Amino acid sequence: DVFEKATGPCIVCSTQVIEVSLDISFDTLVTDCAPLDSLIQRFGRVNRRRVKESERTFPPVAVIKPPASNSAAKPYDLDVMLRTWAVLPENDILHETELQHLIDFVYPTIDLKAIDVHLIEVDGARKLPELCNLPRCLLLEVLEIDSAVVIREADLEDYRHSLWENRQKLEIPLPVPTLRPKFKLWAHIDIGSKPFVCPDECYDEHLGLMLGEEREPKCIIL
């Protein structure tokens, strides 16, 4: 309803949660690369409203080139992303009738995981000792998408003396691999979500958190 009533431009920055169960219709899309089946879902948020055939247009969609490393590709498989990138048309139309053929290329085989890999008990035998402590979330371990939290140095005192509702507003969540180079450089406080504290010069009000070096800028827009 909010989008329907808007009278001016609307820009949405979202995670992959936007792929499903969201009935919105945007004019264009800029997205990180992902497996083809995920991209198809994202494409479905563009030009969603039906119009007369005489008024139909082909909206522009931009897909960003896949990353260079497996860690940066998480939670997706880098090989799947590269095959997806290879079949995406450049400056051309992606036809619905071709999708199954392209998906078959992206997924030449199906990697089936054994259903009992993470079960506590299999065939009457316990795989984990009693009172076993699992300090980390199993789902994060399997997907390798663990995250950390950053706050600005200017917000440190406010964070120390705030309740959780306000602390969440000051936190910047990041994937652990992205933040790892700063682990030994930035302070790490043991309150709230145990955030790392970034120097004020590493944060820009317009660009967000600046993590790259001078020769290779890298921003987290939040």
Side-chain angles (χ1 to χ4, degrees):
D1 292 342
V2 173
F3 295 117
E4 293 289 350
K5 297 175 182 177
T7 57
C10 176
I11 299 176
V12 174
C13 297
S14 173
T15 65
Q16 54 266 57
V17 71
I18 204 171
E19 289 176 7
V20 294
S21 302
L22 194 59
D23 186 17
I24 54 177
S25 182
F26 286 108
D27 298 320
T28 189
L29 170 72
V30 178
T31 175
D32 285 329
C33 191
L36 182 59
D37 48 324
S38 294
L39 288 181
I40 292 170
Q41 291 289 341
R42 299 178 195 184
F43 297 161
R45 311 305 140 198
V46 180
N47 211 20
R48 193 174 178 86
R49 302 286 183 261
R50 289 186 176 274
V51 296
K52 297 179 180 178
E53 186 173 358
S54 60
E55 300 175 358
R56 291 176 188 170
T57 59
F58 296 105
V61 171
V63 179
I64 299 172
K65 187 177 181 180
S69 66
N70 284 302
S71 59
K74 296 296 181 182
Y76 303 121
D77 182 279
L78 181 57
D79 289 337
V80 172
M81 293 174 67
L82 291 175
R83 288 195 293 271
T84 296
W85 179 256
V87 300
L88 289 176
E90 184 174 358
N91 298 321
D92 202 354
I93 299 172
L94 180 64
H95 295 279
E96 184 177 359
T97 54
E98 299 175 352
L99 292 181
Q100 187 58 60
H101 171 71
L102 300 181
I103 288 176
D104 290 341
F105 175 85
V106 171
Y107 295 101
T109 59
I110 300 177
D111 182 18
L112 296 177
K113 302 292 185 183
I115 194 171
D116 61 355
V117 171
H118 299 292
L119 295 182
I120 295 176
E121 184 175 320
V122 179
D123 295 331
R126 291 185 178 275
K127 298 179 61 176
L128 295 178
E130 294 183 6
L131 300 179
C132 177
N133 178 39
L134 296 176
R136 291 168 57 83
C137 174
L138 179 60
L139 182 61
L140 295 181
E141 291 279 5
V142 172
L143 296 180
E144 300 181 38
I145 53 172
D146 203 0
S147 62
V149 169
V150 172
I151 61 171
R152 297 189 302 169
E153 186 177 17
D155 294 329
L156 178 56
E157 288 306 309
D158 190 12
Y159 190 88
R160 288 184 185 276
H161 300 97
S162 294
L163 298 177
W164 68 269
E165 295 97 330
N166 188 57
R167 284 178 174 174
Q168 283 188 320
K169 298 177 182 178
L170 303 177
E171 294 173 352
I172 305 172
L174 292 177
V176 166
T178 301
L179 188 60
R180 186 168 284 116
K182 306 297 184 182
F183 278 4
K184 295 182 179 180
L185 300 177
W186 292 355
H188 190 203
I189 60 174
D190 193 21
I191 59 175
S193 299
K194 300 182 179 180
F196 288 85
V197 182
C198 78
D200 290 337
E201 60 266 24
C202 293
Y203 189 89
D204 183 274
E205 291 293 341
H206 300 289
L207 297 178
L209 186 61
M210 311 285 287
L211 291 179
E213 299 179 4
E214 191 172 319
R215 63 180 180 276
E216 186 182 357
K218 182 177 182 181
C219 306
I220 305 296
I221 302 177
L222 289 170

